[in-house]
């Protein structure tokens, strides 16, 4: 296996970068979408329930099925991969953002309003920072989950390490089939761990010392 | 409503210790009403009230009578359904609420500090929103921390969770005062702290108010607190109906009706103990010592003055302990240890507080502090006993 | 308990999984449970209407013929439940064993491995096992078991660990044997978290079983895969919609079981 890695280090590195960049960009996009939706939702218990329901139900949809459905309108390529990965990444962040925002102590919100902060300032400077650790936990869950989903996305010609696994599958029994699959799988697990550590560090750096656990 | 223009602060200059600077403005309510949707009776029903500039007015009344609702209408956290509110001569009913609130300090239970911001960031929030420059904000933070009795060097960069409940509340007051608003609204601010801390916070507020002369509206359910802190007290009934609005002395001496009498409670004679302040009675002078002084010299001084204990002051002149002479003689130099149980009262405290403090510390006296936490003397239990004797005699006569 | 906090920091929240393992929210009760089956029934009706009204090409008709279709669904369910039964038989006792005093020191390590395993792509696992054991049903079931065992194992351990230790001591103090405490105190209290793990596993299984098609394991994935390779949208969408409906139905079933089996008073 080592020879395989050394031989193809450029291809593997390229695919690893593609995989991570797909995941990171989709998670970033998903975070923005999810926080936007959560801001719209969290003030009303009804809409909050709806958001939680959508999140829970959305997560039951098998990723291969969703990719299949997306192929019909979009065809092969990066578009269905990005849509599917972003879709799944939104759900945990959405749920956590709603719960995190709804969990902010109302007396603090009142304090903020009471000293003359506008609605927007209260949201940006008080509510979102206080909900941030919970939101970030959602982002971590999302990232771990979509690392695997991105592998399946390779089947619809999305970029990334899934390509190695599928090339192993298509040449099964042939030379290096096992190596390709093994390298692809292990690389995904390792990169998922690395991303998790990175997010942990991001959390340390972006969470106020006053609310760190 | 009584004549309000005869209050001490509007009297001629040089009237004595009670004259204080006024930086507050008056508040006038005219027919202020709040109806919550889906409730038959209004929570606040056409209230007329005039709060003079620079006075502390206490709102008391049973739970649910509309005190909080009325208070929050003053800074429009709750929009009135009817009526008008004036700050000074200005009708603020139609003003932008955010702008209005920056001119009105607001303190809630436990301070409402933002846990993700340092003490300095919490206090500096409003000045920064008002676009003060950086140096001015920093200087203001220092000044306010000093004012509420917290050492800026120690507390500036702490987070709220690194403070005790009482300290959080002090920072809450400092934050409310940050932009020097003429009006301060406080909703049961000391409701969540232990009795000893509460009493210290009350003393602190009296001292601050003596310095600043804001217009303070203070909601409480504790009548003793109202008597201690208020220049005037408003007793409310359901629907925020004003039952009596007068000075604490007048309400205690002459409750408007049975309802108020009930609320004031039994033992009104003893309540007079709440009306007498520590600075109204004779304080004992004491021998003081600084940390590090040679004990031999200190003990000799104390003996000469006839004292059997010494009050130790820290570098800023604040009392930190009061060892007895035999205790002191055991060490060569005066120790700097802070006695957490040292009974301390402010000179604006009531005799009631002083008695409580002594009982809690199992001591026959308490150290009295005046402005900026400096030592004013010692009040002893005998003085309080005399005061009780006097009021009892007064009551039986 | 609807928040994911960082898994590696707080073991008590490790019960949270990407597939929402939170026990059903209280209050909503049965009414909340009614939404999902309504959706599923509507979906199935829509699918049946579509299937009976569209004209299909010969290839499409072969795959979407009623018998073939029923067969695919049956295969998919068979894969799912065969794997589920094996998972329960292995992961629950293993999880219990790992929380006993003698093995307890391995618990953090196992939970750690379970968390890492979560990031492993299912497709990689399928292909690796196929290279080793060959294609077919048996390999598929093994792959599914390996993949779905993790949430059940983890939630079993987390659920039992989450039981207040004072209750266990109280039980022992009353003279109950270790086994009696396990059966009468620890397991009943851990049931909500364990059931959440089982539901997670079931939903994972329905989804992952679609990948069986890549190693000749059958199931509804075949429809999707054929649809993709032959560019037949009707197959593609038909298969995908059916799998999604199946997942929703299984998830609902899990929620109902959780609702019914939750110990009263919790
Ligand atoms: N947001 C609200 N919606 C409806 N009713 C309220 C609301 N806030 C307070 N009330 C009602 O108004 C009355 C006065 O409440 P409040 O001002 O909080 O009383 P207090 O502060 O004197 O205890 C109570 O009967 C309370 O139930
Ligand atoms: Mg109230």
């Amino acid at each position: 296996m080592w020879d395989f890695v050394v031989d193809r280090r450029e291809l593997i590195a390229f695919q690893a970068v593609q995989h991570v960049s797909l995941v990171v960009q989709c998670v970033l996009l998903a975070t923005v979408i999810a926080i936007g939706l959560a801001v719209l939702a969290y003030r009303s218990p009804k809409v909050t329930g709806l958001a939680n329901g959508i999140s829970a139900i959305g997560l039951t949809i098998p990723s291969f099925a969703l990719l299949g459905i997306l192929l019909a309108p979009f065809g092969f390529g990066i578009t269905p991969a990005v849509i599917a990965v972003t879709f799944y990444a939104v759900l945990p962040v959405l749920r956590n953002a709603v719960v995190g925002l709804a969990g902010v102590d109302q007396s603090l919100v009142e304090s903020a309003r009471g000293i003359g902060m506008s609605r927007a300032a209260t949201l940006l400077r008080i509510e979102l920072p206080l909900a941030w650790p919970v939101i970030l936990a959602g982002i971590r869950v999302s990232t771990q989950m979509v690392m695997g989903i991105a592998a399946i996305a390779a089947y619809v010609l999305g970029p990334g390490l899934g390509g190695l696994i599928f090339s192993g599958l298509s040449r099964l029994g042939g030379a290096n089939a096992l190596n390709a699959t093994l390298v692809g799988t292990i690389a995904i697990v390792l990169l998922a761990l690395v991303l998790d550590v990175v997010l942990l560090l991001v959390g340390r750096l972006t969470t106020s010392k006053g609310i760190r656990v | 409503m009584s004549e309000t223009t005869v209050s001490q602060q509007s009297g001629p200059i040089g009237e004595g210790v009670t004259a204080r600077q006024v930086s507050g403005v008056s508040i006038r309510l005219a027919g202020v009403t709040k109806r919550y949707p889906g409730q038959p009776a209004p929570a606040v029903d056409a209230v007329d009230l005039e709060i003079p500039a620079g006075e502390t007015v206490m709102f008391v009344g049973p739970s649910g009578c509309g005190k909080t609702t009325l208070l929050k209408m003053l800074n429009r956290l709750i929009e009135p359904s009817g009526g008008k509110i004036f700050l000074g001569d200005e009708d603020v009913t139609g003003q932008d609420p955010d702008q209005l609130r920056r001119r009105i300090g607001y303190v809630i239970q436990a301070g409402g500090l933002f846990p993700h911001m340092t003490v300095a960031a919490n206090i500096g929030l409003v000045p920064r929103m008002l676009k003060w420059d950086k140096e001015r904000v920093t200087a203001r933070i220092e000044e306010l921390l000093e004012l509420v009795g917290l050492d800026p060097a120690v507390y500036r960069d702490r987070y709220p969770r690194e403070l005790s409940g009482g300290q959080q509340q002090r920072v809450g007051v400092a934050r409310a005062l940050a932009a020097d608003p003429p009006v301060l609204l406080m909703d049961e601010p000391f409701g969540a702290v232990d009795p000893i801390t509460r009493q210290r916070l009350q003393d602190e507020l009296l001292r601050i108010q003596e310095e600043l002369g804001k217009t303070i509206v203070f909601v409480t359910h504790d009548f003793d607190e109202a008597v201690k802190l208020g220049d005037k007290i408003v007793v409310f009934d359901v629907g925020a109906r004003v039952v009596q609005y007068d000075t604490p002395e007048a309400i205690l001496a002459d409750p408007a009706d049975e309802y108020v009498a009930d609320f004031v409670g039994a033992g009104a004679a003893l309540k007079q103990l709440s009306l007498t302040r520590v600075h109204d009675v004779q304080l004992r002078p004491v021998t003081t010592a600084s940390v590090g002084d040679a004990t031999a010299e200190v003990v000799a001084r104390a003996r000469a003055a006839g004292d059997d204990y010494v009050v130790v002051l820290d570098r800023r002149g604040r009392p930190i302990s009061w060892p007895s002479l035999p205790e002191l003689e055991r060490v060569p130099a005066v120790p700097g240890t802070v006695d957490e149980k040292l009974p301390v009262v402010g000179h604006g405290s009531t005799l009631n507080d002083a008695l409580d403090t002594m009982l809690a510390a199992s001591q026959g006296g308490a150290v009295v502090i005046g402005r900026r936490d400096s030592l004013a003397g010692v009040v002893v239990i005998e003085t309080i006993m005399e005061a009780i004797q006097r009021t009892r005699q007064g009551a039986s006569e | 308990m609807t928040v994911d906090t960082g898994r590696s920091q707080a073991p008590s929240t490790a019960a949270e999984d990407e597939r929402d393992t939170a026990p059903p929210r209280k209050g909503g009760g049965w009414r909340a449970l009614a939404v999902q089956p309504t959706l599923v029934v509507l979906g199935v009706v829509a699918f049946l209407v579509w299937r009976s009204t569209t004209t299909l090409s010969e290839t499409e008709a072969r795959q979407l013929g009623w018998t073939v279709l029923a067969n695919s669904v049956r295969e998919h369910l068979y894969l799912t439940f065969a794997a589920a039964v094996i998972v329960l038989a292995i992961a629950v006792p293993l999880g219990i064993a790992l929380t006993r005093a003698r093995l307890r020191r391995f618990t953090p390590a196992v939970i750690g491995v379970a968390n890492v395993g979560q990031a492993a792509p299912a497709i990689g696992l399928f292909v690796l096992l196929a290279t080793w054991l060959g294609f077919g049903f048996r390999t598929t079931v093994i792959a599914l078991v390996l993949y779905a065992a993790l949430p059940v194992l983890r939630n079993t351990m987390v659920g039992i660990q989450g039981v207040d230790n004072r209750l266990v001591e109280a039980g022992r103090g009353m003279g109950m044997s270790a086994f009696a405490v396990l059966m009468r105190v620890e397991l009943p209290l851990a049931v909500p978290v364990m059931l959440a793990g089982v539901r997670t596993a079931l939903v994972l299984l329905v989804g992952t079983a679609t990948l069986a098609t890549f190693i000749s394991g059958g199931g509804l994935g075949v429809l999707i895969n054929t649809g993709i390779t032959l560019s037949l949208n009707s197959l593609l969408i038909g298969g995908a919609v059916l799998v999604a409906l199946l997942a929703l139905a299984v998830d609902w079933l899990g929620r109902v079981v959780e609702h019914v089996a939750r110990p009263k008073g919790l």
Side-chain angles (χ1 to χ4, degrees):
Chain A
M1 189 176 98
W2 190 241
D3 290 339
F4 178 86
V5 174
V6 174
D7 275 356
R8 277 154 232 243
R9 58 183 178 276
E10 276 177 23
L11 175 70
I12 295 171
F14 176 71
Q15 283 179 323
V17 169
Q18 292 245 297
H19 198 102
V20 170
S21 107
L22 173 71
V23 167
V24 169
Q25 292 184 47
C26 289
V27 169
L28 281 178
L29 179 62
T31 303
V32 173
I33 295 174
I35 291 179
L37 290 176
V39 165
L40 296 178
Y42 80 105
R43 296 220 156 256
S44 141
K46 274 221 178 94
V47 186
T48 299
L50 188 69
N52 281 333
I54 289 174
S55 180
I57 288 179
L59 284 168
T60 61
I61 299 172
S63 46
F64 190 47
L66 183 67
L67 277 166
I69 292 172
L70 289 172
L71 267 187
F74 297 109
F76 285 89
I78 186 108
T79 318
V82 168
I83 295 178
V85 171
T86 307
F87 172 80
Y88 288 108
V90 163
L91 303 174
V93 185
L94 174 61
R95 185 182 56 193
N96 277 28
V98 166
V99 171
L101 283 173
V104 172
D105 187 346
Q106 274 315 294
S107 72
L108 293 180
V109 175
E110 179 177 288
S111 265
R113 304 287 286 148
I115 62 173
M117 293 174 80
S118 63
R119 274 287 326 93
T122 307
L123 181 68
L124 283 178
R125 312 221 4 223
I126 308 298
E127 293 174 282
L128 280 176
L130 288 176
W132 179 241
V134 183
I135 297 175
L136 196 71
I139 296 177
R140 285 177 67 197
V141 172
S142 276
T143 307
Q144 297 292 299
M145 180 177 74
V146 297
M147 281 299 279
I149 290 174
I152 297 173
Y155 191 65
V156 299
L157 296 187
L161 289 163
L164 277 175
I165 298 174
F166 281 106
S167 82
L169 175 67
S170 63
R171 287 180 284 122
L172 214 61
N176 281 332
L178 180 63
N179 279 337
T181 313
L182 209 53
V183 168
T185 308
I186 293 175
I188 289 174
V189 174
L190 290 180
L191 288 173
L193 284 177
V194 170
L195 279 183
D196 204 43
V197 171
V198 168
L199 282 174
L200 213 61
L201 288 177
V202 168
R204 285 239 131 224
L205 292 177
T206 54
T207 306
S208 155
K209 237 177 69 190
I211 52 172
R212 222 177 270 160
V213 266
Chain B
M1 225 187 290
S2 65
E3 267 300 326
T4 54
T5 46
V6 292
S7 54
Q8 317 97 317
Q9 46 272 48
S10 54
I13 315 160
E15 217 189 32
V17 284
T18 49
R20 68 188 176 202
Q21 171 201 349
V22 174
S23 69
V25 298
S26 65
I27 304 171
R28 190 157 62 84
L29 308 184
V32 172
T33 301
K34 178 66 192 180
R35 278 172 220 283
Y36 287 111
Q39 285 189 2
V44 170
D45 195 0
V47 172
D48 299 310
L49 202 65
E50 187 146 6
I51 295 167
E55 294 208 353
T56 305
V57 171
M58 310 296 289
F59 284 5
V60 300
S63 177
C65 70
K67 306 181 293 288
T68 297
T69 304
L70 188 57
L71 188 82
K72 283 186 184 170
M73 283 195 284
L74 295 181
N75 66 357
R76 305 250 308 281
L77 275 177
I78 294 178
E79 285 294 340
S81 330
K84 285 202 177 304
I85 298 169
F86 298 88
L87 280 194
D89 297 325
E90 194 184 346
D91 180 0
V92 297
T93 330
Q95 259 189 15
D96 172 45
D98 290 339
Q99 299 300 326
L100 173 68
R101 288 178 200 138
R102 289 173 202 177
R103 298 195 287 141
I104 300 180
Y106 183 55
V107 188
I108 60 171
Q109 204 166 80
L113 298 184
F114 304 128
H116 60 304
M117 297 181 182
T118 60
V119 165
N122 265 289
I123 298 175
L125 212 49
V126 179
R128 268 191 286 269
M129 280 193 296
L130 293 172
K131 308 261 188 290
W132 291 14
D133 64 53
K134 226 171 152 187
E135 290 82 57
R136 187 163 166 223
V137 175
T138 314
R140 183 68 181 151
I141 291 167
E142 302 257 321
E143 186 187 359
L144 283 164
L145 282 173
E146 292 276 0
L147 179 71
V148 298
L150 295 173
D151 183 355
V154 177
Y155 294 102
R156 191 172 31 216
D157 296 322
R158 289 213 184 165
Y159 284 94
R161 68 168 176 194
E162 295 163 337
L163 305 176
S164 71
Q167 289 169 338
Q168 289 182 10
Q169 196 58 68
R170 283 163 201 246
V171 177
V173 172
R175 186 177 70 182
L177 290 170
D180 205 21
V183 175
L184 204 55
L185 306 181
M186 309 180 85
D187 193 353
E188 303 199 18
F190 308 147
V193 291
D194 63 274
I196 299 287
T197 309
R198 180 180 319 144
Q199 190 212 300
R200 289 197 180 180
L201 290 168
Q202 290 167 346
D203 291 347
E204 205 84 11
L205 185 67
L206 281 170
R207 184 177 56 67
I208 291 170
Q209 173 65 347
E210 206 170 298
E211 274 182 47
L212 303 180
K214 301 286 177 197
T215 306
I216 300 181
V217 184
F218 190 119
V219 172
T220 180
H221 57 252
D222 175 359
F223 197 76
D224 289 325
E225 183 167 69
V227 169
K228 176 175 177 185
L229 296 179
D231 296 311
K232 293 226 174 67
I233 297 176
V234 190
V235 183
F236 288 107
D237 195 358
V238 177
R241 187 173 70 85
V242 178
V243 185
Q244 192 168 13
Y245 179 26
D246 217 326
T247 59
E249 292 81 359
I251 291 181
L252 281 174
D254 185 16
D257 57 18
E258 201 136 310
Y259 171 78
V260 178
D262 263 3
F263 203 82
V264 168
L270 259 184
K271 282 239 159 53
Q272 294 287 342
L273 218 45
S274 302
L275 289 173
T276 315
R277 309 281 160 156
V278 171
H279 59 60
D280 296 335
V281 300
Q282 190 73 45
L283 297 186
R284 288 224 178 141
V286 280
T287 307
T288 61
S290 300
V291 175
D293 285 355
T295 43
E297 179 266 332
V298 173
V299 169
R301 245 188 320 122
R303 291 246 158 78
D307 291 338
D308 46 13
Y309 55 86
V310 169
V311 173
V312 179
L313 306 178
D314 69 3
R315 262 181 299 124
R316 316 169 104 211
R318 294 175 301 194
I320 55 172
S321 66
W322 62 350
S324 67
L325 296 187
E327 258 177 275
L328 262 190
E329 279 171 325
R330 262 181 264 136
V331 287
V334 175
T337 41
V338 177
D339 179 0
E340 298 292 345
K341 295 213 180 73
L342 180 71
V344 180
V345 292
H347 73 308
S349 281
T350 64
L351 292 189
N352 208 347
D353 291 333
L355 187 58
D356 271 352
T357 306
M358 290 176 206
L359 292 176
S362 310
Q363 303 267 11
V367 177
V368 179
I369 51 174
R371 293 201 160 213
R372 300 268 152 167
D373 290 348
S374 61
L375 181 70
V378 164
V379 60
V380 291
I381 191 112
E382 289 80 9
T383 315
I384 295 177
M385 303 300 281
E386 276 169 35
I388 296 178
Q389 286 292 343
R390 247 183 290 123
T391 48
R392 281 176 117 194
Q393 281 161 11
S396 60
E397 266 161 25
Chain C
M1 263 202 36
T2 37
V3 188
D4 292 300
T5 39
R7 272 174 286 162
S8 49
Q9 297 170 341
S12 64
T13 53
E16 298 296 327
D17 185 77
E18 70 267 29
R19 305 271 171 177
D20 180 21
T21 59
R25 283 173 296 282
K26 55 178 183 269
W30 290 107
R31 210 163 47 119
L33 284 175
V35 178
Q36 218 168 332
T38 318
L39 276 178
V40 173
V41 169
L42 284 178
V44 169
V45 168
F47 176 82
L48 291 178
V49 169
W50 169 80
R51 167 64 188 81
S52 350
T53 50
T54 29
T55 41
L56 300 168
S57 73
E58 204 182 312
T59 347
E60 290 170 327
R62 212 179 307 134
Q63 291 281 343
L64 285 174
W66 291 114
T67 34
V68 182
L69 206 56
N71 228 2
S72 296
V73 172
R74 200 173 318 120
E75 262 175 22
H76 204 96
L77 283 174
Y78 189 50
L79 279 173
T80 302
F81 286 102
V85 168
I86 301 174
V87 163
L88 286 183
I90 296 174
V92 171
L94 190 60
I96 292 173
L98 282 168
T99 54
R100 297 304 92 197
R102 246 178 306 161
L103 294 177
R104 203 167 291 156
R105 61 207 150 102
F106 298 115
T107 312
V110 173
I111 290 183
V113 170
N115 282 338
V116 174
Q118 200 112 54
I123 182 69
L125 187 66
F126 271 71
V127 178
L128 284 177
L129 276 176
T131 14
W132 184 30
L133 302 170
F135 282 25
F137 178 82
R138 200 176 53 118
T139 310
T140 307
V141 172
I142 294 175
L144 288 176
V145 166
L146 281 177
Y147 201 62
L150 294 179
V152 179
L153 182 64
R154 203 183 54 192
N155 276 33
T156 304
M157 291 192 291
V158 169
I160 294 179
Q161 273 182 339
V163 174
D164 191 342
N165 214 17
R166 285 169 305 177
L167 295 179
V168 176
E169 275 165 26
R172 295 307 301 268
M174 283 160 55
M176 289 163 83
S177 69
F179 184 73
V181 169
L182 175 67
M183 297 310 282
R184 311 235 327 248
V185 180
E186 290 178 272
L187 282 184
L189 288 174
V191 152
V193 181
M194 289 168 67
L195 282 179
V198 172
R199 179 167 58 83
T200 304
L202 277 172
V203 174
L204 266 182
L205 282 171
V206 174
T208 325
T210 50
L211 303 180
T213 173
F214 292 116
I215 58 171
S216 312
L220 286 165
V222 178
L223 265 73
I224 304 176
N225 200 15
T226 318
I228 291 176
T229 37
L230 301 182
S231 292
L232 294 173
N233 283 347
S234 54
L235 278 188
L236 190 68
I237 294 181
V241 166
L242 277 184
V243 175
L245 290 173
L246 207 59
L248 277 179
V250 165
D251 182 64
W252 175 75
L253 215 68
R255 284 179 198 274
V256 170
V257 172
E258 279 175 41
H259 196 75
V260 172
R262 198 155 25 132
K264 303 289 169 280
L266 272 187

